[in-house]
């Protein structure tokens, strides 16, 4: 009998994922869900054939260079791979995969939740009732803005952007999008294409970000681009905190240039930005876009599918390098 490959799963995953992994691999789990530093990643890599990490593990250039030669594949439990230095992995000949598709609907749900919460002042309302400070009601009380019939701008019309467009269709919103390429009409489904973010922003009452964090998209939403947005617009981010210059966002929220923001991701994670937390017109969640029971299983299974293919000598479906 040949021995099973040794697989290290760096974080605590869904029970179904861990059971399947334990069936098919000689698996190292993390029942206490400890977060590993880059030095610990290097040390732990010494006796494993494969690592199944999350976006919480940083594989920068130096860490990748120091990983054990034994590691052959990094099967990420995430669609975003900004925590992985892909050129460094390529140079080491280590295969890297991710988990696209399976989290698009869950993330789109959170984008809608953030849009509505920001537009209808849900955070403020919750704090008021919860704090026992709800003392009166009047027609001028807690008035927000309606999303129905407004113009929604989707920056990055990939899988998640398309899922947002589909989910929001019941709201009768006019959909605008920017993307590297214009989509074919069947996929566009009536959405209006803008070749650049600059061209998109002046048209939209709500802008939602769905592009990856790459060197080109760091601080995509900066002071210049906030100036291009409509007065009183709303910004939503479920992608990566790196896409927003948070100081510029705070200025735009404080001056009233933006009405509100709904954020699931931050430059500093975990933790967020205490200056954003002081603003009533920001609704925030702790990076839970993909955190549903269904999606956690699907992400775990997709990562394991990639590992199974690799160890069976086939091309993993979601191979990036
Ligand atoms: C992803 O998959 O990129 C999500 O942000 C969770 O890691």
């Amino acid at each position: 009998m040949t021995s099973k490959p040794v697989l290290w799963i760096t974080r605590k995953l869904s029970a179904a994922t861990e059971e399947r992994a334990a069936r098919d691999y000689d698996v190292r789990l993390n029942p206490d869900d400890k977060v590993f530093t880059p030095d610990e990643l290097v040390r732990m890599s010494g006796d494993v054939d494969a690592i199944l990490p999350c976006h919480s593990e940083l594989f920068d250039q130096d860490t990748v260079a120091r990983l054990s030669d034994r590691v052959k594949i990094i099967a990420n439990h995430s669609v975003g791979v900004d925590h992985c230095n892909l050129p460094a992995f390529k140079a080491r000949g280590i295969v890297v995969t991710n988990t696209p598709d399976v989290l698009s609907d869950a993330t789109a749900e959170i984008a809608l939740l953030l849009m509505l919460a920001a537009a209808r002042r849900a955070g403020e309302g919750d704090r008021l009732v919860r704090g026992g400070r709800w003392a009166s009601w009047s027609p001028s009380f807690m008035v927000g803005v309606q999303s129905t019939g407004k113009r929604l701008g989707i920056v990055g019309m990939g899988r998640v952007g398309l899922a947002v467009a589909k989910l929001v269709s019941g709201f009768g919103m006019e959909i605008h999008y920017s993307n590297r390429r214009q989509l074919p009409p069947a996929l566009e489904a009536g959405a209006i294409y803008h070749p650049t973010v600059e061209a998109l922003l002046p048209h939209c009452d709500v802008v939602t970000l769905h592009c990856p964090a790459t060197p080109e998209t760091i601080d995509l939403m900066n002071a210049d681009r906030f100036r291009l947005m409509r007065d009183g617009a709303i910004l939503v981010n479920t992608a990566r905190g790196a896409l927003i210059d948070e100081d510029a966002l705070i200025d735009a929220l404080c001056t009233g240039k933006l009405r509100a923001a709904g954020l699931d991701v931050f430059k500093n994670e975990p933790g967020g930005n205490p200056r954003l937390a002081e603003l009533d017109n920001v609704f925030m969640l702790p990076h839970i876009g993909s955190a549903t029971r269904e999606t956690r299983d699907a992400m775990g299974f997709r990562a394991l599918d990639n590992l199974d293919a690799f160890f069976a000598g086939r091309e993993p479906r979601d191979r990036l390098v």
Side-chain angles (χ1 to χ4, degrees), residues 54-56 77-83 99 103 107 238-240 264-265 287 289-290 296 299:
C54 296
H55 79 265
S56 48
H77 182 278
S78 68
V79 65
V81 287
D82 47 307
H83 59 290
T99 56
L103 43 64
T107 308
T238 56
R240 283 293 184 266
D264 184 45
V265 286
H287 199 145
S290 56
R296 287 292 181 247
M299 291 170 78

Short mmCIF file of all heavy atoms in Angstrom, two decimals, residues 54-56 77-83 99 103 107 238-240 264-265 287 289-290 296 299, ligand 1:
data_model
loop_
_atom_site.label_atom_id
_atom_site.label_comp_id
_atom_site.label_asym_id
_atom_site.label_seq_id
_atom_site.Cartn_x
_atom_site.Cartn_y
_atom_site.Cartn_z
N CYS A 54 -5.62 29.48 4.18
CA CYS A 54 -6.66 30.48 3.92
C CYS A 54 -5.96 31.81 3.60
O CYS A 54 -4.72 31.87 3.60
CB CYS A 54 -7.54 30.64 5.14
SG CYS A 54 -8.46 29.13 5.52
N HIS A 55 -6.77 32.86 3.38
CA HIS A 55 -6.14 34.14 3.05
C HIS A 55 -5.43 34.73 4.26
O HIS A 55 -4.71 35.72 4.14
CB HIS A 55 -7.17 35.12 2.46
CG HIS A 55 -8.02 35.78 3.49
ND1 HIS A 55 -9.26 35.32 3.86
CD2 HIS A 55 -7.79 36.86 4.27
CE1 HIS A 55 -9.75 36.10 4.81
NE2 HIS A 55 -8.90 37.03 5.08
N SER A 56 -5.61 34.12 5.43
CA SER A 56 -4.98 34.62 6.65
C SER A 56 -3.50 34.25 6.75
O SER A 56 -2.80 34.74 7.64
CB SER A 56 -5.74 34.09 7.87
OG SER A 56 -5.96 32.69 7.74
N HIS A 77 -7.84 27.86 0.25
CA HIS A 77 -9.26 27.86 0.61
C HIS A 77 -9.70 29.32 0.52
O HIS A 77 -10.05 29.97 1.49
CB HIS A 77 -9.37 27.32 2.04
CG HIS A 77 -10.75 27.18 2.61
ND1 HIS A 77 -11.45 28.24 3.15
CD2 HIS A 77 -11.54 26.09 2.74
CE1 HIS A 77 -12.61 27.81 3.60
NE2 HIS A 77 -12.71 26.51 3.37
N SER A 78 -9.62 29.88 -0.69
CA SER A 78 -10.00 31.28 -0.93
C SER A 78 -9.97 31.50 -2.44
O SER A 78 -9.24 30.80 -3.15
CB SER A 78 -9.03 32.26 -0.27
OG SER A 78 -7.76 32.22 -0.88
N VAL A 79 -10.77 32.48 -2.88
CA VAL A 79 -10.65 32.85 -4.29
C VAL A 79 -9.55 33.89 -4.44
O VAL A 79 -8.77 33.85 -5.39
CB VAL A 79 -12.00 33.32 -4.88
CG1 VAL A 79 -12.50 34.60 -4.24
CG2 VAL A 79 -11.91 33.51 -6.38
N GLY A 80 -9.46 34.81 -3.47
CA GLY A 80 -8.42 35.83 -3.53
C GLY A 80 -7.07 35.22 -3.18
O GLY A 80 -6.98 34.40 -2.26
N VAL A 81 -6.05 35.62 -3.92
CA VAL A 81 -4.72 35.05 -3.64
C VAL A 81 -3.69 36.17 -3.45
O VAL A 81 -2.51 35.97 -3.71
CB VAL A 81 -4.27 34.06 -4.74
CG1 VAL A 81 -5.04 32.78 -4.65
CG2 VAL A 81 -4.38 34.69 -6.12
N ASP A 82 -4.14 37.34 -2.99
CA ASP A 82 -3.20 38.43 -2.76
C ASP A 82 -2.27 38.13 -1.58
O ASP A 82 -1.29 38.82 -1.40
CB ASP A 82 -3.95 39.75 -2.55
CG ASP A 82 -5.10 39.63 -1.58
OD1 ASP A 82 -5.95 38.74 -1.78
OD2 ASP A 82 -5.15 40.40 -0.61
N HIS A 83 -2.58 37.09 -0.79
CA HIS A 83 -1.68 36.70 0.31
C HIS A 83 -0.55 35.80 -0.21
O HIS A 83 0.32 35.39 0.56
CB HIS A 83 -2.47 35.95 1.40
CG HIS A 83 -3.16 34.71 0.90
ND1 HIS A 83 -4.23 34.75 0.04
CD2 HIS A 83 -2.90 33.41 1.12
CE1 HIS A 83 -4.61 33.51 -0.24
NE2 HIS A 83 -3.82 32.68 0.40
N THR A 99 -10.16 28.87 -5.06
CA THR A 99 -11.52 28.30 -5.07
C THR A 99 -12.52 29.29 -5.69
O THR A 99 -13.34 29.89 -4.97
CB THR A 99 -11.99 27.94 -3.65
OG1 THR A 99 -11.89 29.12 -2.82
CG2 THR A 99 -11.15 26.84 -3.04
N LEU A 103 -18.00 30.73 -4.06
CA LEU A 103 -18.38 31.73 -3.06
C LEU A 103 -19.04 32.96 -3.66
O LEU A 103 -19.34 33.92 -2.96
CB LEU A 103 -17.17 32.14 -2.20
CG LEU A 103 -15.84 32.40 -2.88
CD1 LEU A 103 -15.91 33.56 -3.80
CD2 LEU A 103 -14.76 32.56 -1.85
N THR A 107 -20.99 35.91 -1.44
CA THR A 107 -20.36 37.24 -1.40
C THR A 107 -21.32 38.29 -1.98
O THR A 107 -21.41 39.41 -1.46
CB THR A 107 -19.02 37.22 -2.17
OG1 THR A 107 -18.24 36.14 -1.66
CG2 THR A 107 -18.26 38.52 -2.01
N THR A 238 -16.72 44.36 -0.81
CA THR A 238 -16.63 42.98 -0.28
C THR A 238 -15.41 42.29 -0.84
O THR A 238 -15.25 41.08 -0.64
CB THR A 238 -17.86 42.15 -0.69
OG1 THR A 238 -17.96 42.18 -2.11
CG2 THR A 238 -19.14 42.64 -0.06
N ALA A 239 -14.55 43.03 -1.56
CA ALA A 239 -13.43 42.38 -2.27
C ALA A 239 -12.20 42.32 -1.38
O ALA A 239 -11.93 41.29 -0.74
CB ALA A 239 -13.18 43.10 -3.59
N ARG A 240 -11.44 43.39 -1.32
CA ARG A 240 -10.26 43.46 -0.47
C ARG A 240 -10.09 44.89 0.02
O ARG A 240 -10.29 45.86 -0.75
CB ARG A 240 -9.00 43.05 -1.24
CG ARG A 240 -8.83 41.56 -1.46
CD ARG A 240 -8.57 40.81 -0.14
NE ARG A 240 -8.32 39.40 -0.31
CZ ARG A 240 -9.23 38.43 -0.22
NH1 ARG A 240 -10.50 38.73 0.01
NH2 ARG A 240 -8.88 37.17 -0.35
N ASP A 264 -16.97 45.16 4.12
CA ASP A 264 -16.74 43.85 4.73
C ASP A 264 -15.24 43.58 4.84
O ASP A 264 -14.84 42.58 5.44
CB ASP A 264 -17.42 42.77 3.87
CG ASP A 264 -17.30 41.37 4.47
OD1 ASP A 264 -17.52 41.23 5.69
OD2 ASP A 264 -16.97 40.42 3.73
N VAL A 265 -14.43 44.44 4.23
CA VAL A 265 -12.98 44.20 4.17
C VAL A 265 -12.24 45.50 4.44
O VAL A 265 -12.74 46.59 4.13
CB VAL A 265 -12.59 43.62 2.79
CG1 VAL A 265 -13.01 42.18 2.65
CG2 VAL A 265 -13.17 44.45 1.66
N HIS A 287 -15.21 40.72 7.42
CA HIS A 287 -14.78 39.84 6.32
C HIS A 287 -15.52 38.50 6.35
O HIS A 287 -14.92 37.44 6.53
CB HIS A 287 -13.25 39.62 6.37
CG HIS A 287 -12.69 39.13 5.06
ND1 HIS A 287 -11.44 39.50 4.60
CD2 HIS A 287 -13.20 38.32 4.11
CE1 HIS A 287 -11.22 38.91 3.43
NE2 HIS A 287 -12.27 38.19 3.12
N GLY A 289 -17.86 37.67 3.80
CA GLY A 289 -18.53 37.52 2.51
C GLY A 289 -18.83 36.07 2.16
O GLY A 289 -19.90 35.75 1.62
N SER A 290 -17.89 35.18 2.43
CA SER A 290 -18.09 33.77 2.03
C SER A 290 -18.50 32.89 3.21
O SER A 290 -18.53 31.66 3.07
CB SER A 290 -16.81 33.23 1.39
OG SER A 290 -15.72 33.38 2.28
N ARG A 296 -18.74 27.37 2.91
CA ARG A 296 -17.53 26.83 3.55
C ARG A 296 -17.29 25.38 3.11
O ARG A 296 -16.16 25.00 2.82
CB ARG A 296 -17.63 26.93 5.07
CG ARG A 296 -17.48 28.34 5.59
CD ARG A 296 -16.06 28.86 5.39
NE ARG A 296 -15.90 30.21 5.91
CZ ARG A 296 -15.66 31.29 5.17
NH1 ARG A 296 -15.54 31.18 3.86
NH2 ARG A 296 -15.51 32.47 5.71
N MET A 299 -16.11 25.50 -0.54
CA MET A 299 -14.72 25.96 -0.67
C MET A 299 -13.74 24.86 -0.27
O MET A 299 -12.74 24.61 -0.95
CB MET A 299 -14.48 27.21 0.19
CG MET A 299 -15.19 28.44 -0.30
SD MET A 299 -15.11 29.81 0.89
CE MET A 299 -13.43 30.40 0.61
C1 LIG B 1 -11.74 34.74 -0.47
O1 LIG B 1 -12.01 33.59 -0.77
O2 LIG B 1 -10.90 35.40 -1.08
C2 LIG B 1 -12.47 35.32 0.69
O3 LIG B 1 -12.11 36.65 0.91
C3 LIG B 1 -12.24 34.52 1.95
O4 LIG B 1 -10.92 34.22 2.10
#
